[in-house]
Amino acid sequence: QGRNTEALDVARAYADTLGAAVALMESGSGGEAARTLRSMAWQPVPDEVRPLHASWLLVHAASAHAAAGDFAVLPALADSIETLAANSAYARNMRLARYVRGRALAAAGWHEEAVREFELAVYSTSNGYGLLNLHHARSLIALGRARDAIAVLQAPFRGPVDAGNVYASHTELRLELGRAFELAGMPDSAAVQYRAVIRAWRQADPHLHARRDSVANRLQAVQSR
């Protein structure tokens, strides 16, 4: 619902440091979120789970750095994730260094290369890492492949709302899905997604108001067709 200030208060009230970091990242405080997540990655944990624990949290830290526009740190983070994940015995984490490299490539405008990295990062389209789906789709759209992006964006809705799907809200996915439908020449389907975004964000934090108004304008445009 874009109520990130409230989400942050709730997370802190329940001492949910990871939840607080996600709320910070969503509210535009990606740098603070990245510092929190990197600190969490190196907290004392049993040796047998350290590679799994640290690699997963560093993936989130990379997403937070990207949200803050700090893309220069991503290649080194990807290398650290790859080294740690190789000892995690978990296929999802072993692939996610590719996601981080894809984010850096997409930020530089190298979308074909980014798409290749994103494709290699996929463990499960419906229960992997929701932010991977979101940014994979954005690069596909940048390449004029809106129809391919639709399938990528629909997949998380077929999976659980916890685990790897926590990190990309349904509202953000619906907004990008509406854009993909619109570009693919399916205005009715785009309108469904845009209406859902507007409903979800009706009580959103102020920093989302301009985006909500922009979606309302897109809805009016597709309805006029």
Side-chain angles (χ1 to χ4, degrees):
Q1 295 180 2
R3 294 161 60 191
N4 299 307
T5 302
E6 287 183 69
L8 182 58
D9 290 342
V10 171
R12 287 173 171 167
Y14 284 89
D16 177 7
T17 309
L18 179 56
V22 173
L24 284 167
M25 182 167 60
E26 290 287 324
S27 63
S29 298
E32 185 179 352
R35 289 189 292 273
T36 298
L37 290 159
R38 292 182 79 141
S39 175
M40 290 177 67
W42 303 118
Q43 289 175 345
V45 294
D47 289 344
E48 61 271 20
V49 299
R50 180 175 299 282
L52 177 64
H53 170 85
S55 60
W56 185 228
L57 285 165
L58 287 179
V59 170
H60 305 327
S63 294
H65 278 296
D70 185 10
F71 297 99
V73 303
L74 297 190
L77 265 179
D79 291 344
S80 296
I81 292 164
E82 189 170 53
T83 299
L84 286 161
N87 297 307
S88 72
Y90 192 8
R92 180 194 64 189
N93 289 25
M94 291 177 186
R95 294 168 182 254
L96 282 174
R98 299 278 193 174
Y99 155 77
V100 178
R101 294 189 181 107
R103 292 293 305 269
L105 288 163
W110 294 83
H111 291 290
E112 287 188 12
E113 292 80 359
V115 165
R116 283 197 289 271
E117 291 297 311
F118 290 143
E119 288 172 348
L120 290 168
V122 174
Y123 166 72
S124 166
T125 56
S126 61
N127 188 20
Y129 187 49
L131 282 173
L132 166 58
N133 294 65
L134 181 63
H135 291 284
H136 184 185
R138 285 176 176 168
S139 283
L140 288 168
I141 289 171
L143 293 171
R145 297 171 56 187
R147 288 184 179 272
D148 293 333
I150 291 168
V152 171
L153 290 162
Q154 288 175 326
F157 293 99
R158 303 189 183 103
V161 296
D162 60 354
N165 284 335
V166 166
Y167 304 96
S169 77
H170 277 191
T171 309
E172 289 286 354
L173 292 166
R174 287 190 186 282
L175 176 53
E176 206 64 33
L177 189 54
R179 182 175 168 230
F181 277 128
E182 184 178 357
L183 290 170
M186 293 181 269
D188 287 351
S189 295
V192 170
Q193 302 304 323
Y194 289 154
R195 288 189 199 102
V197 172
I198 294 166
R199 283 196 303 271
W201 281 352
R202 64 184 181 274
Q203 295 180 339
D205 289 351
H207 75 278
L208 287 170
H209 289 182
R211 291 183 70 197
R212 183 185 62 199
D213 293 344
S214 175
V215 177
N217 290 336
R218 293 312 317 149
L219 175 61
Q220 185 175 15
V222 298
Q223 286 178 329
S224 70
R225 297 180 198 174

